[in-house]
Amino acid sequence: MNHFLRALFFLIVVRPIMLVILGMNVRHAERLPRSGPAVIVANHNSHLDALALMTLYSTRELRHVQPVAAADYFFRNRWLKWFATQIIGIIPLQRQVKTARRDPLAPINEAIEKNQIVILFPEGTRGEPEQIETFKTGVAHIAKRHPDVDVVPIFMHGFGKALPRGEALLVPFFCDVFVGESFRWTGERGSFMDEMTGRIEALAGEMPAQTW
C-alpha cells in the first residue's frame, strides 16, 4: 500500500471528519493495541466504522493497521479497488467461496503472522443503525489458529446514523467508541463466541439509555 498517501488521506480528510464534524468520543483508549499482532473485533453499521477505528492510530502506526473488507464490494471497479487496497489498506475477504478455491481466511492469517493489527467486523456486513446482528464464527477460526494473539472487543455507536447503509450524505451525529479489555482464544468455538458477544454487549451497556 502507499503509506504516504494513506497517512495524508487520514490526516487531512478522515481525522477532521471524525474529530470535528462527528465529535467522535473514545472511551478506554488505553486498551487499544499499539503493536501487532492483534485482532480488533467490532460491531458494524456504517462504512465509517473502519475509518473511525483507524483514526485512533497515529499516521506512523497506520501502516500496521488493516481492516478486513468484502472483496466483492470493494473490487467492483479498478478505482475503488486501488483506493481500498492502496489508501485504506484493506484485507480483501472473498465472501463467495467455491470448494476448489483458497481458504478465504488465509489473507487474514497472513496479516496476523506479519504482526499487523487486523480489524474485523464479525457481523459480516453492515446492519441496521444501532442494532447488533448475530456474529459469524469466522473470527473464532482465526482466534483458534492464533491462540496467543490478543483479541480486543470494541462497541461503536452513532456511525450508523451518521452514514447509514445505502446513504451517500454524511449527517453530523455524535459518535462513540468503547474499547474493551483484550482476551484470547478460550479453547472452544462456542465459548469464544459467547465471550466476545458478552464483552461487546457489556460495552454497549455503558451507553446512556436515552442515546439508543
Side-chain angles (χ1 to χ4, degrees):
M1 71 188 77
N2 191 314
H3 297 298
F4 173 75
L5 290 180
R6 188 187 209 203
L8 191 64
F9 173 69
F10 274 86
L11 185 63
I12 68 176
V13 177
V14 181
R15 290 186 189 280
I17 290 174
M18 296 297 170
L19 302 180
V20 179
I21 297 178
L22 299 182
M24 184 173 71
N25 181 40
V26 184
R27 318 283 181 92
H28 316 302
E30 72 281 358
R31 297 173 178 172
L32 277 170
R34 289 298 170 183
S35 61
V39 176
I40 290 174
V41 291
N43 60 307
H44 194 25
N45 290 134
S46 169
H47 277 318
L48 294 175
D49 295 339
L51 298 178
L53 293 177
M54 295 172 73
T55 303
L56 304 180
Y57 289 90
S58 69
T59 52
R60 179 173 295 182
E61 292 170 330
L62 269 177
R63 67 177 58 219
H64 302 297
V65 182
Q66 290 186 268
V68 176
D72 58 287
Y73 184 91
F74 287 97
F75 285 9
R76 290 177 296 167
N77 58 64
R78 285 187 295 177
W79 157 246
L80 186 58
K81 180 179 180 179
W82 177 85
F83 182 79
T85 56
Q86 299 303 309
I87 304 301
I88 306 302
I90 71 166
I91 301 172
L93 178 66
Q94 299 290 343
R95 293 191 290 191
Q96 303 297 326
V97 182
K98 296 180 180 179
T99 55
R101 287 188 174 182
R102 184 188 186 196
D103 174 11
L105 300 180
I108 302 173
N109 290 319
E110 291 170 5
I112 293 172
E113 289 166 2
K114 293 178 180 177
N115 295 327
Q116 294 292 84
I117 299 172
V118 174
I119 298 174
L120 274 169
F121 299 106
E123 289 163 291
T125 187
R126 289 162 291 156
E128 294 299 317
E130 313 320 321
Q131 293 183 22
I132 300 178
E133 305 293 337
T134 301
F135 296 133
K136 294 180 171 57
T137 59
V139 62
H141 294 288
I142 294 168
K144 181 179 180 180
R145 183 164 177 174
H146 306 278
D148 296 327
V149 171
D150 286 340
V151 178
V152 180
I154 289 182
F155 173 71
M156 309 182 72
H157 175 266
F159 298 96
K161 293 182 178 179
L163 187 65
R165 182 175 183 173
E167 298 294 329
L169 295 178
L170 186 68
V171 178
F173 191 89
F174 288 109
C175 299
D176 296 275
V177 176
F178 294 81
V179 184
E181 295 183 354
S182 64
F183 68 107
R184 294 184 176 182
W185 172 245
T186 60
E188 195 270 328
R189 184 176 66 179
S191 63
F192 176 86
M193 296 302 296
D194 288 343
E195 182 74 16
M196 180 183 70
T197 301
R199 286 173 180 259
I200 292 178
E201 289 179 345
L203 292 171
E206 295 186 26
M207 284 294 304
Q210 65 269 21
T211 61
W212 278 85

